[in-house]
Structures are given as structure tokens and as C-alpha cells.
Amino acid sequence: MITGATTVAGVVGSPVRHSLSPLIHNAWLAAAGVDGVYVPFSPPPHGFKDFVRGLRGGAVRGVNVTLPFKEEAMMAADEISPRADLAGASNLLIFTAEGHILADNTDGLGLLHAFQVQAPGFDPKAGPVVILGAGGAARGAAAAFVAAGAPEVRIVNRTYMRAEQIAGGLGSTVVPLPLDRMAEALGGVIAVINATSAGLSGDGDLNVPLEATPTDAVVMDMVYKPLRTPFLARAEAIGRRTVDGLEMLIGQAIPSFEAFFGRSPPAEVDVRALCLEALSQ
Ligand code: NAP
């Protein structure tokens, strides 16, 4: 029930119809009995700045930000958290009552949460990781692994220059490699993370020679529609442990919920099951 005291939060993207975030946050709100609501917003492609300006002042407590606005969200903010700064993008804006806009990034926390849940015992400090892709998601992942103490983060991308740009912004722990050095990049890694958009809708595979990874390496795909991407299916077929993008989405939602509603989400709700049901429709 919406009351005069309801706290409003939401997700902003274009398109936003497919977003599972309203399902996740509203299930948590209902179970916790919090007087809050989480709604989708979809401003026109060039309307993000005006949209954010309209929310300044705290009418809405905050918004998660998804494609294509994650970089623009940084520019709209008055204050940027160190982890959003490192990631070069923001998936969370908080509007204070004083009229300030704070940009944060919880995608990196979500990524590490997914490893904790689905690859128990995984230690990011234990060896090099390789990230495929050099967009915003890849940069955020690289920043998260650097912050978590990874000794080396290798970035392999189709457009090598973009991999170099990420490395340039994150220091010497991050090493860019061109696609034709993929096999070398996979040698000795503890994890391979697909942060490209290849594999979306189940089409395409990156043809990464996963056999070149150590047998105990963990393979992760940020894409969660389909949940079991061709990339993850191949990893499973050769016996590698896998981590999926849905657990990352849930993992980024936890600190977002805390920022919006001032409490942890209730543990008793199985939001993964709810999302799986929605994805199957
Ligand atoms: P982006 O900025 O558009 O970057 C896309 C990347 O994919 C680029 O590096 C691009 O390479 C590469 N790429 C696209 N198609 C390719 C292909 N056929 N072969 C090889 N490389 C290809 O996107 P993003 O924001 O970083 O997001 C990447 C993915 O992560 C998306 O699928 C997004 O939905 C997902 N994601 C998931 C979560 C989650 O919570 N699970 C969170 C954030 C993002 P070039 O540079 O050569 O073009």
C-alpha cells in the first residue's frame, strides 16, 4: 500500500521493461514490511540530464542506473564515491534532502558476491584473472578485482585500444592483451569473466579456448538472459565451476537496497527463484 510517507526508489534505463530490479526490490520491501516502492523510469535517450535534474531535492530517494546511462550518471552527480570513480561509471544515484546527488557503484560488489555464493572458497587474491571485454562492465569488474587484491587482471578485448584505456586508468596490476593472445591470457588464471555483450539472447559465443584454463578456474558470464549462456555451457561441459550474471544482479541490488531504505534486505525471500520464474516467461 502506498502511503503519504512511502519512500520511492527505482531503476532508470532505456529500455527498462526487461529489468528484474523492480521484482527484486519490491519482493524485499513487501517481506520486510517497509513503507517503500521501487519503480521503473525510462527517459528518452537524450533526456537523462533533465530526468536527474527533476529528482534533485530528494522527491525520490535514489535510482539504480542501467544501460545506456551509467557513464552519464557520473556527470550528473555532485559527489562520486571512490569505487564509482575507479569503475568510471555509476549504477546508483542517491538524492539527498539537501539537494545533493551522490554517485556510487555496486556492480563490483555484486560481482564478488556472485563468486562468493556460487564458487565458495574462491579467493580473488589467489592468482590472475582475465576479463573479456572493455566496456563499462569490464572496467567495473577490473576495478573490483584490483580493490579485492587480485595480483593481476588481464583485459582481452576485440578493440585492443579500449583494453589499453582501462589499464591506463587502473594502474600496473591491469594488463591489456589483444584477442590473438587469448590462449596466453588464459594461462594460470583463477577466473575468466565474460563482460562482453556477446552471448546475449543465446546467440554467439566468443570461441574462447576455455581448455587453456587450469581445471580449477572459475568461469563467469555477466549476461543472464539466457541464464546458461553458450559460454557457461561450454565451461560446464569441460568441468569448470561457473558463476552466472543473475547472482551478480542480485549482489548489486543488496547494497543498493541498503542505500535506499536504510536496512538490509530480508534474508528469507528467495529473489533468485522469483527472477528465474520471470526469466522463464
Ligand atoms: P558495452 O560498454 O557496450 O561493452 C560491450 C563489450 O562487448 C565491448 O568490449 C565490445 O567489444 C564487446 N563485444 C560486443 N560484441 C562482441 C562480439 N561479438 N565479440 C567480441 N566482443 C564483443 O557494455 P557493458 O555495459 O560493458 O556491458 C557488457 C555486458 O555486461 C552486457 O551484456 C550487460 O548486460 C552485462 N552486465 C551485467 C550486469 C549484471 O548485473 N549481471 C551488470 C553490468 C553489465 P568492442 O570494444 O570491440 O566493441
Coordinates of all heavy atoms in Angstrom, one line a residue, residues 67 70 133-137 157-159 162 195-198 200 206 222-224 245 248-249, ligand 1:
L67 N 21.9 0.5 -18.6 CA 22.2 1.0 -19.9 C 21.1 1.9 -20.5 O 20.0 1.6 -20.3 CB 22.4 -0.2 -20.9 CG 23.6 -1.2 -20.5 CD1 23.6 -2.4 -21.5 CD2 24.9 -0.4 -20.6
K70 N 24.9 4.7 -17.6 CA 25.8 4.6 -16.5 C 27.0 5.6 -16.4 O 27.4 6.0 -15.4 CB 26.4 3.2 -16.4 CG 25.4 2.1 -16.0 CD 26.0 0.8 -15.8 CE 25.1 -0.2 -15.2 NZ 25.7 -1.5 -14.9
G133 N 36.3 -8.2 -22.7 CA 35.5 -7.0 -22.9 C 36.2 -5.8 -22.3 O 37.1 -6.0 -21.4
A134 N 35.8 -4.6 -22.8 CA 36.4 -3.4 -22.3 C 35.4 -2.3 -22.3 O 35.8 -1.1 -22.4 CB 37.6 -3.1 -23.2
G135 N 34.2 -2.7 -22.0 CA 33.1 -1.6 -21.8 C 33.1 -1.3 -20.4 O 34.0 -1.6 -19.6
G136 N 31.9 -0.6 -20.0 CA 31.8 -0.2 -18.6 C 31.8 -1.3 -17.6 O 32.4 -1.2 -16.5
A137 N 31.1 -2.4 -18.0 CA 31.1 -3.6 -17.1 C 32.5 -4.2 -16.9 O 32.8 -4.6 -15.7 CB 30.1 -4.6 -17.7
N157 N 40.2 -7.7 -25.3 CA 39.1 -7.1 -26.0 C 39.3 -7.1 -27.5 O 40.4 -7.0 -27.9 CB 38.8 -5.7 -25.5 CG 37.5 -5.1 -25.9 OD1 36.5 -5.8 -25.8 ND2 37.4 -3.9 -26.4
R158 N 38.2 -7.2 -28.2 CA 38.2 -7.2 -29.7 C 38.9 -5.9 -30.1 O 39.7 -5.9 -31.0 CB 36.7 -7.2 -30.1 CG 36.5 -7.3 -31.6 CD 35.1 -7.4 -31.9 NE 34.2 -6.4 -31.4 CZ 32.9 -6.3 -31.5 NH1 32.3 -7.3 -32.1 NH2 32.2 -5.3 -31.0
T159 N 38.5 -4.7 -29.5 CA 39.1 -3.5 -29.8 C 40.2 -3.2 -28.8 O 39.9 -2.8 -27.6 CB 38.1 -2.3 -29.8 OG1 37.0 -2.7 -30.6 CG2 38.7 -1.0 -30.4
R162 N 40.6 -0.1 -26.4 CA 39.7 0.1 -25.3 C 40.3 -0.7 -24.0 O 40.1 -0.2 -22.9 CB 38.3 -0.4 -25.6 CG 37.6 0.5 -26.7 CD 36.2 0.1 -26.9 NE 35.3 0.6 -25.8 CZ 34.1 0.2 -25.6 NH1 33.6 -0.8 -26.4 NH2 33.3 0.7 -24.7
A195 N 32.6 -10.1 -19.8 CA 32.0 -8.8 -19.6 C 31.7 -8.2 -21.0 O 31.6 -7.0 -21.1 CB 32.9 -7.9 -18.8
T196 N 31.6 -9.0 -22.0 CA 31.2 -8.5 -23.3 C 29.7 -8.7 -23.4 O 29.1 -9.4 -22.6 CB 31.8 -9.3 -24.5 OG1 31.2 -10.5 -24.6 CG2 33.3 -9.4 -24.3
S197 N 29.1 -8.1 -24.4 CA 27.6 -8.3 -24.6 C 27.4 -9.5 -25.6 O 26.3 -9.8 -25.9 CB 26.9 -7.1 -25.1 OG 27.8 -6.3 -26.0
A198 N 28.5 -10.2 -26.0 CA 28.3 -11.4 -26.9 C 27.7 -12.4 -26.0 O 28.0 -12.6 -24.9 CB 29.7 -11.8 -27.4
L200 N 24.4 -12.5 -25.5 CA 23.0 -12.0 -25.2 C 22.0 -12.7 -26.1 O 22.3 -12.9 -27.3 CB 22.9 -10.5 -25.5 CG 23.4 -9.6 -24.3 CD1 23.3 -8.1 -24.8 CD2 22.6 -9.7 -23.1
L206 N 32.0 -16.6 -27.8 CA 33.3 -15.9 -28.0 C 34.4 -16.8 -28.6 O 35.4 -16.4 -28.9 CB 33.7 -15.2 -26.8 CG 32.8 -14.1 -26.3 CD1 33.2 -13.8 -24.8 CD2 33.0 -12.9 -27.1
M222 N 28.6 -12.3 -17.3 CA 27.7 -11.3 -16.8 C 26.3 -11.3 -17.4 O 25.3 -10.8 -16.8 CB 28.3 -9.9 -17.0 CG 29.5 -9.7 -16.1 SD 29.9 -7.9 -16.1 CE 31.4 -7.9 -15.2
V223 N 26.2 -11.9 -18.6 CA 24.9 -11.9 -19.3 C 24.1 -12.9 -18.5 O 24.5 -14.0 -18.1 CB 25.1 -12.4 -20.8 CG1 23.8 -12.7 -21.4 CG2 25.9 -11.4 -21.6
Y224 N 22.8 -12.6 -18.3 CA 21.9 -13.5 -17.6 C 20.7 -13.9 -18.3 O 19.8 -14.5 -17.8 CB 21.6 -13.1 -16.2 CG 21.0 -11.7 -16.1 CD1 19.6 -11.5 -16.3 CD2 21.7 -10.6 -15.9 CE1 19.0 -10.3 -16.2 CE2 21.2 -9.3 -15.8 CZ 19.8 -9.2 -16.0 OH 19.2 -7.9 -15.9
G245 N 25.4 -14.4 -14.3 CA 25.1 -12.9 -14.2 C 23.9 -12.6 -13.3 O 23.8 -11.4 -12.8
M248 N 25.1 -11.9 -9.9 CA 25.7 -10.6 -9.8 C 24.6 -9.5 -9.7 O 24.8 -8.5 -8.9 CB 26.5 -10.4 -11.1 CG 27.1 -9.0 -11.2 SD 28.2 -8.8 -12.6 CE 28.5 -7.0 -12.5
L249 N 23.6 -9.6 -10.5 CA 22.5 -8.6 -10.4 C 21.9 -8.6 -9.0 O 21.7 -7.5 -8.5 CB 21.4 -9.0 -11.4 CG 20.2 -8.0 -11.5 CD1 20.6 -6.8 -12.3 CD2 19.0 -8.7 -12.1
Ligands
NAP1 P1 29.4 -2.1 -23.5 O1 30.0 -0.9 -22.9 O2 28.5 -1.9 -24.7 O3 30.7 -3.1 -23.9 C1 30.4 -4.2 -24.7 C2 31.7 -5.0 -24.9 O4 31.4 -6.2 -25.5 C3 32.8 -4.3 -25.6 O5 34.1 -4.6 -25.0 C4 32.7 -5.0 -27.0 O6 33.9 -5.0 -27.7 C5 32.3 -6.4 -26.6 N1 31.6 -7.1 -27.7 C6 30.3 -6.9 -28.1 N2 30.0 -7.9 -29.0 C7 31.1 -8.6 -29.2 C8 31.4 -9.8 -30.0 N3 30.5 -10.3 -30.9 N4 32.6 -10.3 -29.9 C9 33.6 -9.8 -29.1 N5 33.4 -8.8 -28.3 C10 32.1 -8.2 -28.3 O7 28.6 -3.0 -22.5 P2 28.8 -3.1 -20.9 O8 28.0 -2.0 -20.2 O9 30.2 -3.1 -20.6 O10 28.0 -4.5 -20.6 C11 28.6 -5.7 -21.0 C12 27.6 -6.8 -20.6 O11 27.6 -7.0 -19.2 C13 26.2 -6.6 -21.1 O12 25.7 -7.8 -21.6 C14 25.5 -6.2 -19.8 O13 24.1 -6.6 -19.8 C15 26.2 -7.1 -18.8 N6 26.1 -6.6 -17.4 C16 25.6 -7.4 -16.5 C17 25.5 -7.0 -15.2 C18 24.8 -7.9 -14.1 O14 24.5 -7.4 -13.1 N7 24.8 -9.2 -14.4 C19 25.9 -5.7 -14.8 C20 26.5 -4.9 -15.8 C21 26.6 -5.3 -17.1 P3 34.5 -3.7 -28.6 O15 35.1 -2.8 -27.6 O16 35.5 -4.3 -29.5 O17 33.2 -3.2 -29.3

